[in-house]
Amino acid sequence: MDTLLTVDNLQVAFNTDDGEIVGVENVGFNIKKGEVLCIVGESGCGKSVTALSLMGLLGKNGFIKQGDAFFDGHDLRSLSSEEMRKLRGNRFSMIFQEPMTSLNPVLTVGRQLLEPVELHLGLKGEAAKKLCIEWLEKVGIPRPEKVFSDYPGTLSGGMRQRVMIAMAMICSPSLLIADEPTTALDVTIQSQILDLMEELRLESESSILLITHDLGVVAETADRVLVMYAGQVVEEADVFELFENPQHPYTKGLLASIPNVSDDFTERLKSIPGNVPSLQNMPKGCRFCERCSFSMDVCKTEVPPLFDVFPNHKMRCWLGDNK
Amino acid sequence: MRNQLRKRLLITIPILLFVTLFNFILISLAPGDPVDAFFNPNATAADLEAKRASLGLDKPMIYQYFVWLGNVLHGDFGYSYSSYEPVTKILSYRIGPTLLLMGISMLVAYIIAIPIGIISATKQYSALDHTVTGLSFIGISVPSFFFGLFGIFIFSLNLHWLPTGGMYSLGKAADFGDRVKHLILPVAVLSLSISGKMVRYVRSSMLDVLNQDYLRTARAKGLKEVIVIGRHALKNALIPIITVIGLDIPLLIGGAVVTEQIFQWPGIGQLTIQSINSRDYPVLMAINLLSALFVVASNLLTDLAYRIVDPRIKE
Amino acid sequence: MDNSNSVWRRFLRHKPAMIGSIVFALIVLSAIFAPLLTPYSPYELSQSFEAAPSSEHILGTDLVSRDVFTRLLYGSRVSLLVGVGTVIVYVIIGGILGTLAGYFGGWVDSLIMRFTDIIMSFPFFIVILVMVSILGPAMSNIIFALGVLGWPPIARIIRGSILTIKNQDYIKAGRVLGYSDLRLIFKHILPNIMAPILVNATFGVSNAIIAESSLSFLGMGVQPPRSSWGNILTDAQSMTILAHEPWLWVPAGLMIVITVLSVNFIGDGLRDALDPKKIQ
Ligand SMILES: Nc1ncnc2c1ncn2[C@@H]1O[C@H](COP(=O)(O)OP(=O)(O)OP(=O)(O)O)[C@@H](O)[C@H]1O
Ligand SMILES: [Mg+2]
């Protein structure tokens, strides 16, 4: 399969009142065409920052400090903001964690859905409207004509997330970035939304970068998995490999103690003693070292690189050094 | 929605009653009475008593209030103690100049302040933003009488470009250019303070909106920044500004007391000062009721405007 | 607390607020030590009427031959007292009514809130004018009038945060543990409402200073011979003084602007520093 997105050695930083802070660093991965890559990790580990940096949506104070990102033949870092804008919502698009606030409350659903259609597909008038209504139907919204002219305030969270999906997919992008698309929803709605995304992916042959807390979701949807901890990738492997043969102590800690895979990720983290270090005072060596039961002297002083422990299986831990 | 509006409307009645009663009590607490102040010094005690009785001032205060209220409900605001004209007539030729002055000032202020506030917010922390913020602080910190005096000092007394006060020059009551010249300084004074407040409000409202998730969604679609701001942010930022405008509307009546006094503008504000100085209570009561009406009406209008403009308010 | 430290740091970094604080401190000091800064008394007559600034009278003398600089110095006492006094009065009234409304809820709450609506429906400046002219134009009456009409925002802030806090889990938990509601509310509520009240109060000071000077300017506030920045400017309504004797009115006007501006800058700095959105 061809590679759609390549990210290498990505480092993202923010200018803040207290000087520059680094949100994520040394992040690298590939997404092949039609593949689902999941990024997992606990709150604050840099999942959203990674996704937003690829979209060029870091906001005023955030920027990519170093690294490379190639998408479908485009070098994302060398594109002008105007070229980036033309790809966004068109060749790659994004849906967000919080459906209740992600739609504009004072514009109708139709208006918001029409925007990418008019902008990227160049459709106007009835043709554009017809496509929108088709998509509203496709994402499972009852009475699409009515919803088209409603304001988002009249829709439930699940319905809004469906609208967001329609909005992100309507121009048939080759990559969909979904940042915790189901975290804010009820369990039953969650699986409906995931099924919908899977269905649309198969139909359009696009790739998905799915960010999640939920290992159950990972097990169900992912082809490959990236585990992040404190702003770094700590392990990357195919989904079966990761669940069968986890290598990094952090990943092991997550998986080992759990009898039931669909438990909430954050709950499970409590079984690992200690806290995530904050961005302002990262340890000099391995970032997991203080919570790690395998910690060695080298862990305290030297940052471990990503070791290729098996084919297609990398991890950031000195335990991988001799393999 | 109907019901809610009706409820709001009903609440205004006790509010108006309370405001007028409060003022009535206040006024009746005033030492001395208008008869002492305005009667011929040669009049006998009996004359004064007769006059007092004819004005109803010998009755208990609460009785006087209900008499006044009954008359008001019939459209009768009584007669001015000092000019003996009907109060309604006095108000009728005072209200026009005030509405003209305040109306233009508010319009000028909003036309300047709203776009500036928006631009300033989108360029937060830029030199432009700092300048705008600084000027808006001056706008809310310079008292209108000082700004007015300063304007007269420069533009009337030194440069001789503009008149020092009044609404028109002698014999030029219908001259448009002359009217404009008389309006410039007082409008400048009033709109400086109105726009100072407004710029700050628009700016912070816009800054709030700029942090909202739905703007990130709009950008994620690849929309041009002009559309992200002009379509997605603007409407959301302007809706809460209705509140500020609603709070400004009552100024149409009572906001120009000081400015009218400095520029001898023959409006309600100047009338208020004159009536206080001459203890002209029927006129004062009418002014109070009128301004309270404006406050209450603009609250209702604000409510109504929200219902029309904001789709988040459901029926 | 870790928080108060970073609030303080943000305030110190807010340049206008720092300048405002320094200027305001100087004004307060000069008001307190006025007698040491001038050889004259504010009521003392001299030999010269409406004299231009000179080494003897650095800002000249006024219509009745008093030293303008001295009158300015003493005038600052009026502005500061009215500014701070008003805010104290309305924070007390608003504090009591807001606490009652939030704590008791029910009909007490509705009654107080309706009353708040009514007060907010008063045509503010006109009612103040009437009140002051009837109570008599004394400084205490100005403070009283401004305070009596100024409390509704404070009452609302306090009521609102009591209502939110009443419903929070730790208060419910505290109740189970047998703490009295009132003690809990004060313990948890004070830190929460300090920020909005402090900001409101700061801007309240500058508004009161402007209101007092406007009243005094119109001749309805502080009365001569006592000097206030507003009543010093009253004389400038005469065109000859306005045109030819700027020392009689420009300094007083500038003092009002500088004082109000510095207080507003302090308020702005406080708001930025205390803004809960910026506190992580
Ligand atoms: N605009 C910003 N300015 C400064 N720091 C930021 C900014 N955005 C994110 N960060 C920091 O970057 C780190 C990573 O945040 P990120 O939002 O990517 O976490 P996440 O893994 O998506 O967490 P969650 O699961 O809660 O969404 C956090 O420590 C956050 O405080
Ligand atoms: Mg996130």
Side-chain angles (χ1 to χ4, degrees), chain C residues 247-279:
Chain C
W247 65 88
L248 283 179
W249 61 278
V250 174
L254 286 180
M255 281 316 293
I256 301 173
V257 175
I258 291 170
T259 310
V260 172
L261 208 55
S262 66
V263 176
N264 282 340
F265 279 151
I266 295 173
D268 194 49
L270 281 177
R271 184 171 35 207
D272 280 2
L274 293 167
D275 188 349
K277 271 179 282 178
K278 289 190 180 172
I279 298 173

mmCIF file of all heavy atoms in Angstrom, chain C residues 247-279:
data_model
loop_
_atom_site.group_PDB
_atom_site.id
_atom_site.type_symbol
_atom_site.label_atom_id
_atom_site.label_comp_id
_atom_site.label_asym_id
_atom_site.label_seq_id
_atom_site.Cartn_x
_atom_site.Cartn_y
_atom_site.Cartn_z
ATOM 1 N N TRP C 247 -4.960 78.398 34.218
ATOM 2 C CA TRP C 247 -4.506 77.787 35.475
ATOM 3 C C TRP C 247 -5.658 77.547 36.441
ATOM 4 O O TRP C 247 -5.563 76.742 37.346
ATOM 5 C CB TRP C 247 -3.422 78.645 36.123
ATOM 6 C CG TRP C 247 -3.910 80.005 36.579
ATOM 7 C CD1 TRP C 247 -4.450 80.305 37.784
ATOM 8 C CD2 TRP C 247 -3.898 81.208 35.820
ATOM 9 N NE1 TRP C 247 -4.785 81.640 37.830
ATOM 10 C CE2 TRP C 247 -4.462 82.232 36.633
ATOM 11 C CE3 TRP C 247 -3.475 81.548 34.518
ATOM 12 C CZ2 TRP C 247 -4.618 83.535 36.195
ATOM 13 C CZ3 TRP C 247 -3.628 82.853 34.099
ATOM 14 C CH2 TRP C 247 -4.196 83.832 34.926
ATOM 15 N N LEU C 248 -6.756 78.248 36.209
ATOM 16 C CA LEU C 248 -7.898 78.065 37.107
ATOM 17 C C LEU C 248 -8.662 76.780 36.827
ATOM 18 O O LEU C 248 -9.422 76.302 37.650
ATOM 19 C CB LEU C 248 -8.853 79.259 36.997
ATOM 20 C CG LEU C 248 -8.390 80.517 37.719
ATOM 21 C CD1 LEU C 248 -9.386 81.640 37.532
ATOM 22 C CD2 LEU C 248 -8.214 80.207 39.196
ATOM 23 N N TRP C 249 -8.509 76.195 35.623
ATOM 24 C CA TRP C 249 -9.325 75.004 35.367
ATOM 25 C C TRP C 249 -8.556 73.818 34.789
ATOM 26 O O TRP C 249 -8.903 72.677 35.071
ATOM 27 C CB TRP C 249 -10.506 75.352 34.453
ATOM 28 C CG TRP C 249 -10.126 75.881 33.081
ATOM 29 C CD1 TRP C 249 -9.775 77.153 32.759
ATOM 30 C CD2 TRP C 249 -10.081 75.135 31.879
ATOM 31 N NE1 TRP C 249 -9.500 77.258 31.425
ATOM 32 C CE2 TRP C 249 -9.698 76.036 30.856
ATOM 33 C CE3 TRP C 249 -10.329 73.797 31.545
ATOM 34 C CZ2 TRP C 249 -9.541 75.635 29.533
ATOM 35 C CZ3 TRP C 249 -10.192 73.404 30.222
ATOM 36 C CH2 TRP C 249 -9.796 74.326 29.235
ATOM 37 N N VAL C 250 -7.493 74.078 34.008
ATOM 38 C CA VAL C 250 -6.796 72.938 33.392
ATOM 39 C C VAL C 250 -6.205 71.979 34.432
ATOM 40 O O VAL C 250 -6.410 70.766 34.346
ATOM 41 C CB VAL C 250 -5.720 73.424 32.398
ATOM 42 C CG1 VAL C 250 -4.910 72.248 31.875
ATOM 43 C CG2 VAL C 250 -6.378 74.162 31.241
ATOM 44 N N PRO C 251 -5.490 72.506 35.462
ATOM 45 C CA PRO C 251 -4.889 71.552 36.414
ATOM 46 C C PRO C 251 -5.923 70.671 37.107
ATOM 47 O O PRO C 251 -5.724 69.469 37.248
ATOM 48 C CB PRO C 251 -4.190 72.465 37.430
ATOM 49 C CG PRO C 251 -3.978 73.750 36.711
ATOM 50 C CD PRO C 251 -5.135 73.899 35.774
ATOM 51 N N ALA C 252 -7.037 71.266 37.494
ATOM 52 C CA ALA C 252 -8.054 70.467 38.191
ATOM 53 C C ALA C 252 -8.595 69.375 37.264
ATOM 54 O O ALA C 252 -8.748 68.210 37.662
ATOM 55 C CB ALA C 252 -9.196 71.364 38.670
ATOM 56 N N GLY C 253 -8.869 69.769 36.000
ATOM 57 C CA GLY C 253 -9.360 68.775 35.038
ATOM 58 C C GLY C 253 -8.354 67.657 34.841
ATOM 59 O O GLY C 253 -8.700 66.478 34.862
ATOM 60 N N LEU C 254 -7.081 68.042 34.695
ATOM 61 C CA LEU C 254 -6.054 67.022 34.488
ATOM 62 C C LEU C 254 -5.946 66.085 35.693
ATOM 63 O O LEU C 254 -5.761 64.879 35.543
ATOM 64 C CB LEU C 254 -4.696 67.678 34.219
ATOM 65 C CG LEU C 254 -4.555 68.304 32.829
ATOM 66 C CD1 LEU C 254 -3.170 68.918 32.655
ATOM 67 C CD2 LEU C 254 -4.801 67.249 31.741
ATOM 68 N N MET C 255 -6.080 66.653 36.886
ATOM 69 C CA MET C 255 -6.010 65.798 38.082
ATOM 70 C C MET C 255 -7.115 64.745 38.055
ATOM 71 O O MET C 255 -6.891 63.588 38.394
ATOM 72 C CB MET C 255 -6.132 66.645 39.361
ATOM 73 C CG MET C 255 -4.866 67.365 39.777
ATOM 74 S SD MET C 255 -3.397 66.352 39.664
ATOM 75 C CE MET C 255 -3.731 65.149 40.944
ATOM 76 N N ILE C 256 -8.331 65.172 37.659
ATOM 77 C CA ILE C 256 -9.421 64.184 37.587
ATOM 78 C C ILE C 256 -9.061 63.096 36.584
ATOM 79 O O ILE C 256 -9.142 61.903 36.875
ATOM 80 C CB ILE C 256 -10.744 64.850 37.167
ATOM 81 C CG1 ILE C 256 -11.123 65.945 38.164
ATOM 82 C CG2 ILE C 256 -11.861 63.812 37.080
ATOM 83 C CD1 ILE C 256 -12.325 66.757 37.731
ATOM 84 N N VAL C 257 -8.618 63.534 35.391
ATOM 85 C CA VAL C 257 -8.302 62.560 34.348
ATOM 86 C C VAL C 257 -7.217 61.599 34.820
ATOM 87 O O VAL C 257 -7.341 60.374 34.697
ATOM 88 C CB VAL C 257 -7.858 63.275 33.056
ATOM 89 C CG1 VAL C 257 -7.404 62.254 32.025
ATOM 90 C CG2 VAL C 257 -8.993 64.119 32.499
ATOM 91 N N ILE C 258 -6.156 62.160 35.404
ATOM 92 C CA ILE C 258 -5.041 61.297 35.829
ATOM 93 C C ILE C 258 -5.487 60.309 36.904
ATOM 94 O O ILE C 258 -5.188 59.117 36.849
ATOM 95 C CB ILE C 258 -3.879 62.167 36.352
ATOM 96 C CG1 ILE C 258 -3.258 62.948 35.181
ATOM 97 C CG2 ILE C 258 -2.829 61.318 37.036
ATOM 98 C CD1 ILE C 258 -2.265 64.005 35.611
ATOM 99 N N THR C 259 -6.240 60.814 37.865
ATOM 100 C CA THR C 259 -6.677 59.924 38.948
ATOM 101 C C THR C 259 -7.576 58.815 38.416
ATOM 102 O O THR C 259 -7.372 57.634 38.695
ATOM 103 C CB THR C 259 -7.444 60.731 40.015
ATOM 104 O OG1 THR C 259 -6.665 61.864 40.365
ATOM 105 C CG2 THR C 259 -7.712 59.899 41.235
ATOM 106 N N VAL C 260 -8.586 59.222 37.634
ATOM 107 C CA VAL C 260 -9.530 58.229 37.127
ATOM 108 C C VAL C 260 -8.817 57.227 36.226
ATOM 109 O O VAL C 260 -9.030 56.013 36.309
ATOM 110 C CB VAL C 260 -10.682 58.932 36.370
ATOM 111 C CG1 VAL C 260 -11.560 57.915 35.676
ATOM 112 C CG2 VAL C 260 -11.501 59.767 37.328
ATOM 113 N N LEU C 261 -7.944 57.746 35.389
ATOM 114 C CA LEU C 261 -7.200 56.871 34.488
ATOM 115 C C LEU C 261 -6.366 55.866 35.279
ATOM 116 O O LEU C 261 -6.346 54.669 34.981
ATOM 117 C CB LEU C 261 -6.295 57.730 33.605
ATOM 118 C CG LEU C 261 -5.930 57.213 32.217
ATOM 119 C CD1 LEU C 261 -7.172 56.886 31.423
ATOM 120 C CD2 LEU C 261 -5.105 58.256 31.470
ATOM 121 N N SER C 262 -5.698 56.341 36.335
ATOM 122 C CA SER C 262 -4.842 55.403 37.066
ATOM 123 C C SER C 262 -5.682 54.350 37.770
ATOM 124 O O SER C 262 -5.318 53.178 37.789
ATOM 125 C CB SER C 262 -3.909 56.142 38.029
ATOM 126 O OG SER C 262 -4.652 56.767 39.031
ATOM 127 N N VAL C 263 -6.831 54.759 38.307
ATOM 128 C CA VAL C 263 -7.683 53.756 38.958
ATOM 129 C C VAL C 263 -8.202 52.754 37.918
ATOM 130 O O VAL C 263 -8.218 51.539 38.156
ATOM 131 C CB VAL C 263 -8.865 54.430 39.690
ATOM 132 C CG1 VAL C 263 -9.791 53.380 40.275
ATOM 133 C CG2 VAL C 263 -8.358 55.334 40.790
ATOM 134 N N ASN C 264 -8.606 53.259 36.753
ATOM 135 C CA ASN C 264 -9.091 52.344 35.717
ATOM 136 C C ASN C 264 -8.008 51.384 35.254
ATOM 137 O O ASN C 264 -8.274 50.217 34.986
ATOM 138 C CB ASN C 264 -9.621 53.129 34.518
ATOM 139 C CG ASN C 264 -11.012 53.687 34.781
ATOM 140 O OD1 ASN C 264 -11.718 53.198 35.665
ATOM 141 N ND2 ASN C 264 -11.402 54.700 34.028
ATOM 142 N N PHE C 265 -6.781 51.867 35.158
ATOM 143 C CA PHE C 265 -5.686 50.975 34.764
ATOM 144 C C PHE C 265 -5.483 49.893 35.828
ATOM 145 O O PHE C 265 -5.262 48.723 35.509
ATOM 146 C CB PHE C 265 -4.385 51.758 34.567
ATOM 147 C CG PHE C 265 -4.290 52.436 33.221
ATOM 148 C CD1 PHE C 265 -3.569 53.609 33.046
ATOM 149 C CD2 PHE C 265 -4.932 51.888 32.111
ATOM 150 C CE1 PHE C 265 -3.488 54.220 31.807
ATOM 151 C CE2 PHE C 265 -4.848 52.497 30.870
ATOM 152 C CZ PHE C 265 -4.124 53.670 30.715
ATOM 153 N N ILE C 266 -5.564 50.300 37.096
ATOM 154 C CA ILE C 266 -5.433 49.298 38.159
ATOM 155 C C ILE C 266 -6.537 48.253 38.005
ATOM 156 O O ILE C 266 -6.291 47.046 38.080
ATOM 157 C CB ILE C 266 -5.509 49.968 39.547
ATOM 158 C CG1 ILE C 266 -4.303 50.894 39.739
ATOM 159 C CG2 ILE C 266 -5.551 48.911 40.648
ATOM 160 C CD1 ILE C 266 -4.366 51.722 41.011
ATOM 161 N N GLY C 267 -7.766 48.733 37.756
ATOM 162 C CA GLY C 267 -8.885 47.801 37.584
ATOM 163 C C GLY C 267 -8.652 46.842 36.434
ATOM 164 O O GLY C 267 -8.916 45.647 36.536
ATOM 165 N N ASP C 268 -8.119 47.380 35.341
ATOM 166 C CA ASP C 268 -7.865 46.544 34.170
ATOM 167 C C ASP C 268 -6.808 45.491 34.481
ATOM 168 O O ASP C 268 -6.957 44.315 34.130
ATOM 169 C CB ASP C 268 -7.412 47.431 33.012
ATOM 170 C CG ASP C 268 -7.454 46.701 31.688
ATOM 171 O OD1 ASP C 268 -8.494 46.078 31.402
ATOM 172 O OD2 ASP C 268 -6.462 46.743 30.952
ATOM 173 N N GLY C 269 -5.758 45.929 35.181
ATOM 174 C CA GLY C 269 -4.702 44.993 35.555
ATOM 175 C C GLY C 269 -5.235 43.900 36.470
ATOM 176 O O GLY C 269 -4.934 42.722 36.295
ATOM 177 N N LEU C 270 -6.069 44.310 37.431
ATOM 178 C CA LEU C 270 -6.658 43.322 38.335
ATOM 179 C C LEU C 270 -7.501 42.323 37.564
ATOM 180 O O LEU C 270 -7.429 41.119 37.782
ATOM 181 C CB LEU C 270 -7.560 44.027 39.359
ATOM 182 C CG LEU C 270 -6.872 44.691 40.531
ATOM 183 C CD1 LEU C 270 -7.898 45.395 41.400
ATOM 184 C CD2 LEU C 270 -6.136 43.640 41.348
ATOM 185 N N ARG C 271 -8.287 42.851 36.614
ATOM 186 C CA ARG C 271 -9.162 41.941 35.877
ATOM 187 C C ARG C 271 -8.334 40.938 35.078
ATOM 188 O O ARG C 271 -8.603 39.738 35.110
ATOM 189 C CB ARG C 271 -10.083 42.718 34.945
ATOM 190 C CG ARG C 271 -11.050 41.783 34.253
ATOM 191 C CD ARG C 271 -12.108 42.500 33.486
ATOM 192 N NE ARG C 271 -11.620 43.717 32.899
ATOM 193 C CZ ARG C 271 -12.385 44.753 32.624
ATOM 194 N NH1 ARG C 271 -13.659 44.704 32.893
ATOM 195 N NH2 ARG C 271 -11.884 45.823 32.069
ATOM 196 N N ASP C 272 -7.308 41.435 34.421
ATOM 197 C CA ASP C 272 -6.459 40.520 33.660
ATOM 198 C C ASP C 272 -5.790 39.506 34.575
ATOM 199 O O ASP C 272 -5.720 38.323 34.270
ATOM 200 C CB ASP C 272 -5.379 41.293 32.893
ATOM 201 C CG ASP C 272 -5.937 41.886 31.616
ATOM 202 O OD1 ASP C 272 -7.152 41.717 31.370
ATOM 203 O OD2 ASP C 272 -5.163 42.512 30.863
ATOM 204 N N ALA C 273 -5.296 40.006 35.711
ATOM 205 C CA ALA C 273 -4.557 39.117 36.606
ATOM 206 C C ALA C 273 -5.478 38.079 37.246
ATOM 207 O O ALA C 273 -5.080 36.946 37.486
ATOM 208 C CB ALA C 273 -3.852 39.924 37.681
ATOM 209 N N LEU C 274 -6.717 38.477 37.504
ATOM 210 C CA LEU C 274 -7.619 37.583 38.231
ATOM 211 C C LEU C 274 -8.490 36.747 37.309
ATOM 212 O O LEU C 274 -9.189 35.853 37.758
ATOM 213 C CB LEU C 274 -8.538 38.396 39.152
ATOM 214 C CG LEU C 274 -7.854 39.105 40.301
ATOM 215 C CD1 LEU C 274 -8.804 40.116 40.924
ATOM 216 C CD2 LEU C 274 -7.407 38.106 41.343
ATOM 217 N N ASP C 275 -8.455 37.062 36.004
ATOM 218 C CA ASP C 275 -9.321 36.379 35.049
ATOM 219 C C ASP C 275 -9.204 34.864 35.213
ATOM 220 O O ASP C 275 -8.159 34.288 34.960
ATOM 221 C CB ASP C 275 -8.900 36.764 33.627
ATOM 222 C CG ASP C 275 -9.885 36.235 32.610
ATOM 223 O OD1 ASP C 275 -10.739 35.416 33.012
ATOM 224 O OD2 ASP C 275 -9.810 36.645 31.450
ATOM 225 N N PRO C 276 -10.287 34.240 35.647
ATOM 226 C CA PRO C 276 -10.213 32.803 35.921
ATOM 227 C C PRO C 276 -9.877 31.991 34.668
ATOM 228 O O PRO C 276 -9.333 30.910 34.759
ATOM 229 C CB PRO C 276 -11.627 32.467 36.414
ATOM 230 C CG PRO C 276 -12.478 33.618 36.015
ATOM 231 C CD PRO C 276 -11.587 34.812 35.896
ATOM 232 N N LYS C 277 -10.162 32.550 33.489
ATOM 233 C CA LYS C 277 -9.860 31.806 32.272
ATOM 234 C C LYS C 277 -8.353 31.638 32.100
ATOM 235 O O LYS C 277 -7.886 30.711 31.490
ATOM 236 C CB LYS C 277 -10.438 32.535 31.047
ATOM 237 C CG LYS C 277 -11.862 32.101 30.763
ATOM 238 C CD LYS C 277 -12.433 32.850 29.578
ATOM 239 C CE LYS C 277 -12.853 34.235 30.005
ATOM 240 N NZ LYS C 277 -13.366 35.061 28.926
ATOM 241 N N LYS C 278 -7.616 32.605 32.657
ATOM 242 C CA LYS C 278 -6.169 32.516 32.500
ATOM 243 C C LYS C 278 -5.522 31.700 33.617
ATOM 244 O O LYS C 278 -4.354 31.388 33.559
ATOM 245 C CB LYS C 278 -5.556 33.916 32.484
ATOM 246 C CG LYS C 278 -5.874 34.657 31.216
ATOM 247 C CD LYS C 278 -5.045 35.909 31.158
ATOM 248 C CE LYS C 278 -5.335 36.685 29.880
ATOM 249 N NZ LYS C 278 -4.676 37.979 29.930
ATOM 250 N N ILE C 279 -6.296 31.421 34.657
ATOM 251 C CA ILE C 279 -5.729 30.641 35.759
ATOM 252 C C ILE C 279 -5.920 29.166 35.440
ATOM 253 O O ILE C 279 -7.026 28.689 35.297
ATOM 254 C CB ILE C 279 -6.428 30.994 37.086
ATOM 255 C CG1 ILE C 279 -6.204 32.456 37.409
ATOM 256 C CG2 ILE C 279 -5.891 30.120 38.194
ATOM 257 C CD1 ILE C 279 -6.996 32.932 38.599
#
